[in-house]
Amino acid sequence: MENMQAVNSFVAAYLKKKGFKEAEQLLEDIQSKDSAPVDFHNDPELAKFIHRFSQSEDDVARYQDGYSKLRSWAYGSLDLYKHELLRVLYPVFIHSFMDMVAKGHLQEARTFFKAFREDHELMHSRDLQKLEGVLSQSHLEEMEFSRSLRQSKVNIKICQYSYDLLLQYLHKTQSIAMLGVINEHINFQVFSGQPSSISDDAEVVTLIGSCQDAANQLNQKEIHWGLLEDSLEERLEKAGGLLSDSEKTEEENKEGDVDETKKRSIEGGKQGASTKESKKEKALNATTKNARLEASTTSAAPRVKPKLPLPLMSTEVEQSILEDLRNCVQLSSVALPSVSFYTFLNTHNGLNCSSISHDGSLVAGGFSDSSLKVWDMAKLGQQGGSSNLQVENDSSSSEQVLGPNGGKRSYTLFEGHSAPVYSATFSLLGDFILSSSVDTTIRLWSTKLNANLVCYKGHNYPVWDVQFSPVGHYFASASHDRTARIWSMDRIQPLRIMAGHLSDVDCVQWHANCNYIATGSSDKTVRLWDVQSGECVRIFIGHRSMILSLAMSPDGRYMASGDEDGMIMTWDLSSGRCITPLMGHTSCVWTLGFSCEGSLLASGSADCTIKLWDVTTSTKVPRNEEKSGTNPNRLRSLKTLATKSTSVYSLQFSRRNLLFAAGVLSKNT
């Protein structure tokens, strides 16, 4: 009897809540005429279901109880299926929390959040920090991150047997609250066969603001990834100037050398030695041919027209670039680059970023004391010191620093920002440098005049990154205000604003043809934007933590992105798909760079290493090999260059294919 009365009261409250006034009035009339409670078709199962549903509507303890039992069941499952079943817990946890907040049970929601957040701290700490700020129902709507989560589904890849186990558990326990959350917010991608291993697929759990279908639809848009028409590289190719004069002479003499070798081998005498020499020469020729073939991939890229009016290049810049291209060393998996590494010393944890000019002659550092400092490598060399960049934070001697031999080394101090400097980038010839700061501004400096020329204001929050375009004049910025902006040096207002990320835009990179920019964000996605329209034309989904670095291949076809967990992902821009994840770093990947012919990718990390990756092999690995039991990623790591204790902040290949890198020496623990 009491049970039936509870059901009646719930039905009445439900009708009132949903606005069914006539039905509500009719129920009241029936109850007033009949002292006995209404019997719903004499169906005890229906009454039981409504009673259970009413409890799940009102009793928020159902969330805590349901999640706790689901968690215990998942952790107690067989090891073969456990890691797949555990993937369900995080989305169920955050949506249960938000459901409780939405229903007004704020205190219970906070208790629930604190009780179980530790389970997910390792993988999702940044998301949890944002959700911790949800303190009322209005916050769910006002905060873009929570609103996007509420409006979308989470994609989870799971094998058929794990899926069946989960459904069987939910049906057996009749956990209405958990079933409701899973049904509304999780989209299972079920596959046949054995469960995937923990590290097999980087996209097993995709937590994004827009659903996967929308991203797939967006990635159908056509993009033109080729190189600019009539570029310097193209002109040099047509003129037959890809090889330097010395290399051409070597090419011309190779046939004569081979003939000489053959003659010596026929004559006898030192036949074994001559055979070895001829093998070496063949290997050298094969290496050269491979490098040429890899270099030809750039020349085979389609040509596109520029969408932005390009600046006129001065004769001085043009000649400098052509000279570098003529003398460019061809790299490959068997011809690795030389590396020049600059180490910052005595920074007292004040260094936030570093940058190197294209020819390696200038090195810049951005500091927490709002200063930007530039070292001239030619002056350091004249004074006979090593390439250690000594920093002295004493303001009385801020124009000079003391080297290890006691001599004074000068650097140029640029002062103007009013908050820490987080990014710097040199122009083509190194005559200008841009810096961005927490003070929301970007400043343009002249390295010739040693003066600030322009202060660009447009962002409302700290600017984390700024990058010159490949042709100079234009630059792009990335900010905490969740936007990226495109600027030109001659205008103080931005030309375009790219809005769409759900969190900070942490890094930005130009495409080789200047028609697109890529942005990496704390929302774990990378986006590609059309500079003419300002529209997003690609969303790249797969990272599990914030993206810290980006790099574009010289032919404009591929992109690499590095994240906070040490994962590097390579992407095909035309399809928007991940070609392969490159695993090996154990900490943040701060910087990435492709070699000039695009055959190698270099990555610098907070784990104090630089790694060289074989891009050519990575992009040609067949799908069946990727899905096989062996892990092909390790085969693509060509070399690991370890520093003593120096985090790698920046690296880049010069136009002659020398690898420059810079970092700060960590304090020994």
Side-chain angles (χ1 to χ4, degrees):
M1 187 75 175
E2 289 179 9
N3 199 21
M4 292 301 296
Q5 286 176 339
V7 169
N8 270 298
S9 61
F10 169 73
V11 172
Y14 182 83
L15 293 174
K16 185 176 182 180
K17 178 182 176 182
K18 296 297 181 183
F20 299 125
K21 293 183 179 178
E22 291 182 11
E24 182 191 351
Q25 188 61 47
L26 184 62
L27 184 64
E28 284 181 4
D29 292 343
I30 293 171
Q31 285 179 333
S32 61
K33 290 176 184 176
D34 247 334
S35 56
V38 179
D39 190 350
F40 290 94
H41 306 291
N42 292 318
D43 188 346
E45 286 298 317
L46 177 62
K48 193 187 295 182
F49 174 80
I50 294 175
H51 180 65
R52 191 166 61 244
F53 184 73
S54 69
Q55 286 185 315
S56 66
E57 278 274 306
D58 295 332
D59 188 7
V60 292
R62 290 289 174 132
Y63 282 102
Q64 184 148 349
D65 183 56
Y67 178 80
S68 180
K69 287 178 179 176
L70 177 65
R71 175 179 176 272
S72 300
W73 173 78
Y75 275 106
S77 301
L78 291 173
D79 289 343
L80 182 62
Y81 307 104
K82 183 192 293 186
H83 68 270
E84 282 200 337
L85 296 170
L86 289 176
R87 292 171 188 162
V88 180
L89 292 183
Y90 177 63
V92 171
F93 168 69
I94 59 172
H95 284 292
S96 296
F97 166 70
M98 289 189 286
D99 281 355
M100 292 164 76
V101 172
K103 291 176 180 178
H105 303 284
L106 305 180
Q107 189 57 48
E108 294 88 343
R110 303 309 304 167
T111 304
F112 173 77
F113 189 81
K114 288 176 182 176
F116 298 109
R117 73 170 290 169
E118 193 175 338
D119 290 348
H120 315 288
E121 196 72 46
L122 184 64
M123 292 291 293
H124 305 283
S125 60
R126 290 185 175 273
D127 290 352
L128 295 175
Q129 285 170 12
K130 293 172 189 172
L131 288 173
E132 200 171 21
V134 176
L135 303 172
S136 68
Q137 293 161 296
S138 60
H139 287 175
L140 287 175
E141 291 300 320
E142 291 168 3
M143 189 183 292
E144 193 168 347
F145 178 70
S146 60
R147 189 171 70 244
S148 66
L149 290 177
R150 299 273 290 168
Q151 293 171 353
S152 65
K153 284 197 171 188
V154 179
N155 291 320
I156 297 182
K157 289 183 181 178
I158 192 170
C159 79
Q160 184 68 53
Y161 200 80
S162 297
Y163 182 68
D164 292 341
L165 283 174
L166 179 64
L167 289 185
Q168 187 181 32
Y169 165 78
L170 292 170
H171 179 72
K172 184 180 177 182
T173 57
Q174 295 186 336
S175 181
I176 299 296
M178 295 300 98
L179 187 59
V181 169
I182 290 171
N183 182 59
E184 189 174 353
H185 297 291
I186 297 179
N187 176 41
F188 288 103
Q189 296 175 343
V190 182
F191 61 90
S192 57
Q194 291 296 308
S196 59
S197 68
I198 296 173
S199 60
D200 259 1
D201 191 352
E203 298 181 34
V204 285
V205 180
T206 311
L207 202 65
I208 55 169
S210 56
C211 70
Q212 184 72 51
D213 293 338
N216 291 339
Q217 190 174 354
L218 184 67
N219 289 353
Q220 298 301 315
K221 289 186 179 181
E222 186 182 6
I223 65 167
H224 304 285
W225 55 264
L227 300 177
L228 287 175
E229 292 177 349
D230 197 33
S231 63
L232 288 177
E233 291 86 351
E234 189 175 9
R235 274 187 260 168
L236 198 61
E237 278 174 36
K238 288 177 180 176
L242 274 175
L243 301 179
S244 65
D245 294 336
S246 60
E247 285 175 315
K248 284 178 184 173
T249 308
E250 286 174 14
E251 286 285 322
E252 289 166 4
N253 293 335
K254 264 176 192 174
E255 288 184 14
D257 293 341
V258 173
D259 290 340
E260 286 292 323
T261 306
K262 284 180 181 176
K263 284 177 186 177
R264 286 198 301 271
S265 62
I266 292 167
E267 287 168 4
K270 296 182 179 178
Q271 189 173 359
S274 63
T275 306
K276 285 180 184 176
E277 285 174 17
S278 64
K279 282 182 180 176
K280 282 182 181 178
E281 283 171 0
K282 282 180 182 177
L284 182 63
N285 290 341
T287 302
T288 309
K289 282 179 183 177
N290 287 338
R292 298 276 184 272
L293 285 170
E294 287 168 0
S296 69
T297 58
T298 303
S299 60
R303 287 341 193 224
V304 298
K305 293 182 179 179
K307 295 183 179 180
L308 290 174
L310 299 183
L312 291 172
M313 194 173 287
S314 68
T315 309
E316 182 189 8
V317 175
E318 191 172 311
Q319 290 303 317
S320 171
I321 295 173
L322 286 171
E323 181 63 24
D324 286 339
L325 292 174
R326 285 192 196 98
N327 292 283
C328 181
V329 177
Q330 297 299 326
L331 301 177
S332 68
S333 57
V334 291
L336 300 181
S338 298
V339 184
S340 178
F341 197 99
Y342 305 112
T343 304
F344 287 83
L345 303 177
N346 303 328
T347 61
H348 307 298
N349 297 323
L351 183 73
N352 297 323
C353 65
S354 64
S355 182
I356 307 163
S357 62
H358 287 276
D359 60 359
S361 62
L362 298 174
V363 178
F367 292 85
S368 294
D369 64 1
S370 310
S371 68
L372 176 71
K373 297 171 184 177
V374 178
W375 284 261
D376 188 330
M377 292 297 107
K379 291 179 181 177
L380 285 179
Q382 287 169 5
Q383 292 169 6
S386 63
S387 58
N388 290 333
L389 306 179
Q390 293 276 339
V391 180
E392 189 67 47
N393 285 335
D394 184 358
S395 59
S396 62
S397 60
S398 59
E399 289 295 335
Q400 295 183 343
V401 285
L402 296 175
N405 57 2
K408 288 190 175 181
R409 293 177 185 168
S410 60
Y411 60 81
T412 307
L413 176 67
F414 294 101
E415 292 182 304
H417 285 294
S418 58
V421 177
Y422 271 93
S423 181
T425 177
F426 283 99
S427 61
L428 285 171
L429 271 188
D431 47 351
F432 297 105
I433 184 170
L434 284 164
S435 60
S436 67
S437 169
V438 175
D439 65 12
T440 76
T441 68
I442 303 159
R443 288 182 180 267
L444 177 69
W445 313 83
S446 168
T447 56
K448 304 287 186 188
L449 302 174
N450 296 337
N452 183 213
L453 304 179
V454 190
C455 179
Y456 302 96
K457 296 179 180 179
H459 286 290
N460 303 315
Y461 290 93
V463 185
W464 301 129
D465 195 17
V466 62
Q467 292 292 329
F468 261 118
S469 78
V471 296
H473 186 67
Y474 299 104
F475 59 94
S477 57
S479 171
H480 176 61
D481 63 15
R482 303 197 295 270
T483 69
R485 304 184 188 218
I486 294 175
W487 313 69
S488 65
M489 289 172 64
D490 57 353
R491 296 190 183 183
I492 60 171
Q493 294 298 323
L495 306 177
R496 294 284 184 276
I497 298 176
M498 281 71 174
H501 279 295
L502 306 176
S503 188
D504 295 42
V505 183
D506 298 299
C507 53
V508 64
Q509 188 60 252
W510 285 84
H511 190 271
N513 62 25
C514 301
N515 290 338
Y516 304 96
I517 65 165
T519 54
S521 169
S522 293
D523 67 11
K524 305 174 190 174
T525 68
V526 180
R527 291 176 181 247
L528 191 72
W529 309 83
D530 187 306
V531 298
Q532 187 178 46
S533 64
E535 291 182 358
C536 178
V537 292
R538 288 286 182 277
I539 300 179
F540 303 94
I541 300 164
H543 282 284
R544 294 193 183 186
S545 58
M546 63 188 293
I547 289 90
L548 299 173
S549 53
L550 295 167
M552 293 284 186
S553 66
D555 63 357
R557 182 174 182 180
Y558 302 112
M559 178 180 68
S561 54
D563 67 21
E564 190 179 31
D565 292 338
M567 173 75 79
I568 300 167
M569 305 193 85
T570 50
W571 309 90
D572 186 330
L573 294 185
S574 55
S575 65
R577 292 181 179 176
C578 175
I579 302 165
T580 179
L582 303 174
M583 293 174 281
H585 284 297
T586 56
S587 188
C588 310
V589 180
W590 291 120
T591 178
L592 292 166
F594 280 94
S595 59
C596 294
E597 72 294 310
S599 62
L600 301 180
L601 173 69
S603 59
S605 169
D607 66 11
C608 302
T609 65
I610 295 173
K611 287 184 181 289
L612 298 173
W613 308 87
D614 186 354
V615 175
T616 312
T617 309
S618 300
T619 53
K620 291 179 181 175
V621 170
R623 285 190 172 274
N624 58 355
E625 187 180 328
E626 283 188 14
K627 291 179 180 178
S628 67
T630 57
N631 184 359
N633 294 307
R634 297 190 180 187
L635 303 177
R636 301 184 193 120
S637 178
L638 296 173
K639 194 167 187 179
T640 297
L641 305 168
T643 64
K644 286 183 179 178
S645 185
T646 303
S647 296
V648 185
Y649 277 24
S650 62
L651 58 76
Q652 69 177 47
F653 284 91
S654 72
R655 284 187 287 264
R656 299 191 182 197
N657 255 344
L658 174 64
L659 179 57
F660 294 112
V664 62
L665 186 70
S666 308
K667 288 183 178 179
N668 292 324
T669 53

